[in-house]
Amino acid sequence: MRLLLGFVALSLCVYHADATTGATILTSPESVVNQTSATLSCNITNPPSPIKGNHWMKDGTVITKTRSESAGSTTQFTIETIGNTDGGVYTCVFETDPISQSTIEVKTVPHVKAYKDSEHGNENDKGVMACVSHSYPPPTDWMWYMVKEDGSNMAIANGTDRYEIKSQPNKTYLYISTLNMETDMGDYICQGQNELGVASAKIHLRVRSRLAALWPFLGIVAEVIVLVAIIFIYEKKRKPDEITDDDDSGSAPLKTNADTNHKDKNVRQRNSN
Ligand SMILES: *[C@@H]1O[C@H](CO)[C@@H](O)[C@H](O)[C@H]1NC(C)=O
Ligand SMILES: *[C@@H]1O[C@H](CO)[C@@H](O)[C@H](O)[C@H]1NC(C)=O
Ligand SMILES: *[C@@H]1O[C@H](CO)[C@@H](O)[C@H](O)[C@H]1NC(C)=O
């Protein structure tokens, strides 16, 4: 039984290799590690069909300028300067039927950037800071530190105090569950590490008081109060003029005056009767 399974597995492997490459490709160098420039080259022997051309890909995306219709069995691609984001998996592709391809890894030390250099949150709210890495290989380890007043870095452990750290290979988040104005304000450092080294970035966190968050609202309220006061004072000043100008449409007290006058008249009339 075990022998049969082994045989099935073996035949699947061979079949897989035949379907995708069907040829031997020699790559040079095998990988590029921490270099400032590099020339990648591939050399195919025993192509499964005549070669119609070749091109290179980076992380699965075709590098357009490398497209060639050469029938040659070798192809080269030169990276003049290997920057922070030039690391990755490079693939040379010979256009045969089926296609033949092989990969060369270009590795750099990590490059870490803060999502935002400066973050702010309101007192008692949840705070969040984030860092990303666009380098290859992605960091295998992420760390967060808080810069203390004496300049030393205090490592932040996941799940302690109000801290939570969530990390993906190329991204890390630090959450602070309830921001405190006294203790949380300051500089934080995120640090990514891969097999070639470490890199870090700094983020400044500001915590605003709840009251500060209310200022815009209080400003509007104050504005409304002042406006109402102005209108009130203006109306008060205007009223006496109006009364002397216009007797008929007088206000309620005037009407009652008119009524009492009328009543007086009636009374007088009755008296005269
Ligand atoms: C490609 O490989 C073949 C056989 O291994 C070798 O003879 C030839 O010199 C190589 N060509 C280049 C350009 O490296
Ligand atoms: C991070 O990796 C994921 C997949 O692992 C990818 O989809 C995403 O584009 C990457 N983000 C960055 C910023 O490199
Ligand atoms: C931190 O702890 C939380 C909850 O226990 C967990 O979901 C998360 O994956 C942890 N993060 C890291 C970087 O270990």
Side-chain angles (χ1 to χ4, degrees), residues 132-134 170:
V132 293
S133 163
H134 295 284
N170 52 17

Side-chain angles (χ1 to χ4, degrees), residues 182-238:
E182 273 82 54
T183 59
D184 296 339
M185 200 118 65
D187 287 336
Y188 291 78
I189 290 171
C190 60
Q191 179 187 286
Q193 175 167 12
N194 70 11
E195 64 204 55
L196 299 176
V198 295
S200 60
K202 195 186 269 186
I203 301 174
H204 184 72
L205 177 68
R206 282 179 301 142
V207 182
R208 294 187 304 184
S209 77
R210 282 250 154 224
L211 199 62
L214 275 179
W215 274 129
F217 174 72
L218 291 182
I220 290 170
V221 168
E223 221 168 275
V224 167
I225 288 172
V226 167
L227 217 67
V228 165
I230 288 171
I231 290 170
F232 185 76
I233 290 165
Y234 180 76
E235 284 289 311
K236 257 207 154 164
K237 275 198 167 165
R238 203 172 64 148

Side-chain angles (χ1 to χ4, degrees), residues 142 157-159 163-168 172-173:
W142 284 105
N158 189 26
Y163 301 118
E164 189 182 351
I165 297 169
K166 282 189 185 164
S167 298
Q168 296 160 14
T172 183
Y173 297 92

